[in-house]
Amino acid sequence: MGGCAWSRTAPGPLEPYAVGFARWLADAGFSQSRIEKRLCQFGHLSGWLEIEGLRPDELTAEHQQRFIEARRMAGRRTWLSPRSLRVPLAFLREAGAMPVALVAPDGPVEQLLADYRRYLASERGLVAHTIYHHELVARRFLGELEKLGGLELERLVAGDVNAFLAAECPKRSVTGARDLVKGLRGLLRYLHVTGVIGTPLQWSVPAVAYRRDRSLPRGLPPEAVAGLLASCDRRRAVGRRDYAVLLLLSRLGLRAGEVAAIRLEDIEWRRGEFQVRGKGARLDRLPLPTAVSYCTSVVPVFGFCVDVA
């Protein structure tokens, strides 16, 4: 009984919310497979509410625990703790199907997170799925602090924040690390605003380095350039045009936009020079490669062609 045949139309009192829940999950960045699994859980919850004769707004902490026990008895292997209901309950609260007050905090971390959720909703005006992601970061950070010696936030220093980031960021992609940093800044800002910590530690959170494409671009090897030039059929006007473009790109290092902007009046044939329009309306004069010369068969785009002789 560990499998699940999910459906977007969950029978029971949650059926009107099933389609909205799927859309809400997609907007929150859930993958299709995770959406299907969450819809399975949502359908099971809806069916259980129908059997129990309960409305969504009657889903108290006690009823949530009973639902979890029902999942265990049904042979379910996933989402067997009250925490597993955070995602569907966050959606139901946003949809107005149940009040926020029904979430009962348990312990100092849960109490702090409950206050943080209220702050994000009332003061920051964030929607439920954004609050959920902020809460995930906060829970991770506070949980690590609790493991290291108790939740003594008044003693929190920048070194603790940096140690957490140094341990967590390498486990994530660049996007994941940025989300972590963003969520941690939000939590530290909240802790400072509410007086839990005396120092605005959000300024100690560094930006995430993104080193992709930071190295200098590598040029094509000579044999590759020769192969490109040889691929142009210079018996045709289109081939001569392509050959001229490749010569300008390879020999002068021009940008594609700079080559496309060349006009006939930009070329001084007698002096062997032409004018290049660069970024910021900059004008430069460069030598015209000897392989590019004027001929009677004018290439339409540039006003010049390649002398194949």
Side-chain angles (χ1 to χ4, degrees):
M1 298 184 65
C4 179
W6 66 279
S7 172
R8 290 184 181 272
T9 56
L14 299 184
E15 183 175 354
Y17 302 97
V19 175
F21 183 47
R23 188 181 302 113
W24 183 83
L25 291 171
D27 292 341
F30 284 72
S31 65
Q32 185 58 40
S33 61
R34 292 178 65 195
I35 291 174
E36 293 178 4
K37 292 176 182 178
R38 283 295 181 178
L39 285 172
C40 173
Q41 180 196 30
F42 199 69
H44 189 199
L45 177 60
S46 183
W48 182 83
L49 289 173
E50 185 176 40
I51 293 173
E52 297 292 323
L54 297 172
R55 302 187 308 271
D57 60 348
E58 296 176 320
L59 193 57
T60 62
E62 179 183 355
H63 289 145
Q64 294 171 30
Q65 185 60 45
R66 287 175 54 196
F67 169 70
I68 295 300
E69 293 173 357
R71 282 186 67 85
R72 292 196 185 100
M73 294 179 63
R76 305 290 178 177
R77 300 177 182 177
T78 58
W79 297 308
L80 300 179
S81 72
R83 288 186 180 182
S84 65
L85 287 172
R86 285 199 183 95
V87 173
L89 295 186
F91 165 74
L92 292 173
R93 287 194 296 270
E94 183 177 341
M98 61 180 298
V100 177
L102 290 179
V103 180
D106 181 20
V109 172
E110 294 300 329
Q111 181 62 57
L112 179 58
L113 290 173
D115 295 337
Y116 185 43
R117 286 194 299 267
R118 285 191 287 270
Y119 162 80
L120 294 175
S122 60
E123 299 295 331
R124 298 285 306 281
L126 303 182
V127 296
H129 65 84
T130 304
I131 294 174
Y132 169 72
H133 288 294
H134 276 273
E135 182 187 352
L136 287 180
V137 175
R139 183 178 298 280
R140 181 69 176 173
F141 178 66
L142 297 175
E144 289 300 317
L145 291 180
E146 200 171 33
K147 291 178 184 177
L148 294 176
L151 198 65
E152 299 180 351
L153 293 175
E154 64 277 1
R155 298 184 180 181
L156 189 65
V157 295
D160 300 325
V161 177
N162 291 330
F164 171 76
L165 291 174
E168 292 295 324
C169 285
K171 305 175 186 177
R172 293 168 165 78
S173 64
V174 173
T175 301
R178 285 176 174 171
D179 291 340
L180 179 72
V181 164
K182 181 180 179 182
L184 187 57
R185 284 200 190 106
L187 174 65
L188 294 173
R189 186 182 300 111
Y190 164 76
L191 294 176
H192 178 61
V193 167
T194 55
V196 177
I197 58 177
T199 306
L201 292 178
Q202 67 269 22
W203 303 115
S204 68
V205 180
V208 176
Y210 185 48
R211 302 190 180 278
R212 182 181 179 184
D213 297 332
R214 291 296 178 90
S215 61
L216 292 175
R218 296 182 179 180
L220 291 175
E223 56 272 17
V225 175
L228 284 173
L229 292 173
S231 68
C232 301
D233 184 1
R234 286 180 282 169
R235 296 170 299 180
R236 304 173 57 201
V238 172
R240 293 194 293 272
R241 179 202 63 189
D242 294 343
Y243 188 79
V245 169
L246 291 174
L247 282 175
L248 293 174
L249 293 174
S250 61
R251 296 191 179 181
L252 299 181
L254 297 182
R255 300 181 179 90
E258 293 170 340
V259 175
I262 296 174
R263 298 186 300 225
L264 183 61
E265 56 267 26
D266 294 329
I267 304 172
E268 294 188 16
W269 302 105
R270 293 184 180 278
R271 297 179 60 180
E273 296 179 348
F274 69 105
Q275 183 173 260
V276 177
R277 293 175 171 80
K279 289 185 176 180
R282 178 175 174 176
L283 299 177
D284 293 300
R285 303 202 69 81
L286 294 176
L288 187 68
T290 56
V292 179
S293 61
Y294 185 79
C295 67
T296 55
S297 178
V298 176
V299 178
V301 175
F302 302 103
F304 61 85
C305 70
V306 176
D307 186 356
V308 297

